[in-house]
Amino acid sequence: MTAAALAMTAPLTLTAAGDAGAAADHAIVFARYTAGAPVEDLYAVSAGGGTPVELTHTPTVSDVMPSWSPDGKRVAFVRYGSGGAIDGIWTMKTTGGGLKAVPGTKGASDPAWSPDGKRIAYAKPVGTQREIYVADVDGTPATRLTHTAADDLHPTWSPDGRYLAFNRADTGGHSRVMRIRLSTLAQTAVTGSGSHDWTPDWSHGNRIAFSRVDSSGFAHLYVVRPDGTGVHRITSARFNDKYPSWSPDGSRLVFTRGGGDDADPEHLYLVRADGTGTTELTKTDSHDLEADWRP
């Protein structure tokens, strides 16, 4: 089925007409699936808690990896079909309407909106690995930024829009956080080559949070300065903590916490940047992933 047909047969809708205004007031967007409904949809929830609002309802395709626009009026996300083929990156209004495909992004993942709202960075397959690209929101011109034999994933913008951080996964099973300067394409390693570091997120306060599988065997949240100094751990529970996203003021993080088994539920949690005040945000029997905190 074509992307256009999918959009027509599975339109983006809210759970109820009265929720349209409420969705715009919710601060955190994320992807959710359950054992009974393995297709993923996007939801929004207030950082203060409450019942999440369903933003998409697409029974034949999954919507994942949401990213807020800087003005909070649109969300970029990835849509893929039941066979696993990635349809590409789309954007929509926070009320669920105004669906637009980003041309040239078939197979792409990990969209990240630039601070000025004009561009989207993403990862896209080139042969057997993925590279980092940047394009205007209308999809052109698409510029390839990395050229490696490794997998480059999950780009995140510096506050001034001059750099991207991303994680680079090598063939040996390691992944490190990298930084690239957009004007020169010069690349610098932020974390060590033997690390297991994933899903970085760059704060307005110029710190990078990421998930690291450390010596405990669990994934914990860490923070590092963009120059690679000041690495410190934020969480230390015997759970897997992943997909960190900074609050707009850089005081807290939202992240996914789950057990060691894929069957275990995964919920959203909040934690202060100093590692204190961990609280559970979502509590249903679901998998809640890839949260992005509204700027």
Side-chain angles (χ1 to χ4, degrees):
M1 184 176 284
T2 67
L6 284 172
M8 292 176 64
T9 58
L12 296 174
T13 60
L14 294 167
T15 53
D19 287 336
D25 297 330
H26 287 70
I28 294 168
V29 65
F30 62 97
R32 167 179 284 180
Y33 73 93
T34 65
V39 171
E40 293 169 279
D41 285 305
L42 301 184
Y43 287 74
V45 66
S46 168
T51 302
V53 174
E54 190 175 19
L55 298 183
T56 69
H57 182 67
T58 52
T60 60
V61 295
S62 286
D63 297 330
V64 296
M65 301 180 181
S67 173
W68 285 109
S69 64
D71 61 7
K73 294 181 179 180
R74 296 188 70 83
V75 174
F77 63 96
V78 170
R79 171 166 285 180
Y80 69 91
S82 58
I86 298 176
D87 183 43
I89 296 170
W90 296 71
T91 71
M92 68 174 181
K93 296 179 181 178
T94 55
T95 55
L99 182 65
K100 295 181 180 179
V102 179
T105 61
K106 186 176 180 60
S109 62
D110 303 315
W113 223 302
S114 66
D116 62 8
K118 297 179 180 179
R119 295 172 292 172
I120 292 178
Y122 53 88
K124 185 177 178 180
V126 179
T128 58
Q129 75 279 347
R130 285 161 287 187
E131 307 287 1
I132 302 298
Y133 283 75
V134 170
D136 290 346
V137 175
D138 66 1
T140 57
T143 302
R144 179 177 170 182
L145 302 182
T146 61
H147 298 74
T148 72
D151 260 339
D152 292 340
L153 302 161
H154 205 87
T156 177
W157 294 82
S158 64
D160 60 10
R162 297 168 59 193
Y163 294 87
L164 288 170
F166 59 95
N167 64 258
R168 172 167 289 165
D170 63 28
T171 56
H174 300 105
S175 179
R176 66 198 302 188
V177 177
M178 302 289 296
R179 187 183 79 234
I180 185 168
R181 186 183 182 100
L182 271 67
S183 61
T184 64
L185 302 188
Q187 298 179 39
T188 305
V190 178
T191 62
S193 59
S195 303
H196 298 274
D197 300 338
W198 303 91
T199 60
D201 190 60
W202 204 321
S203 77
H204 294 296
N206 215 28
R207 292 176 293 172
I208 298 173
F210 59 95
S211 177
R212 167 177 286 178
V213 180
D214 55 27
S215 58
S216 70
F218 290 92
H220 295 133
L221 302 190
Y222 282 72
V223 172
V224 64
R225 298 188 187 100
D227 64 2
T229 62
V231 179
H232 66 280
R233 188 170 64 183
I234 296 296
T235 64
S236 57
R238 294 183 66 80
F239 294 101
N240 288 312
D241 297 338
K242 52 191 178 182
Y243 303 116
S245 177
W246 289 98
S247 64
D249 64 2
S251 66
R252 292 187 292 170
L253 292 149
V254 62
F255 64 97
T256 292
R257 169 168 286 179
D261 192 307
D262 288 342
D264 293 338
E266 298 173 289
H267 298 143
L268 299 186
Y269 281 73
L270 303 176
V271 65
R272 297 191 187 102
D274 64 3
T276 64
T278 303
T279 57
E280 189 174 9
L281 184 60
T282 61
K283 301 178 181 181
T284 60
D285 187 13
S286 58
H287 295 265
D288 298 339
L289 307 166
E290 303 159 343
D292 191 44
W293 205 317
R294 182 173 176 174

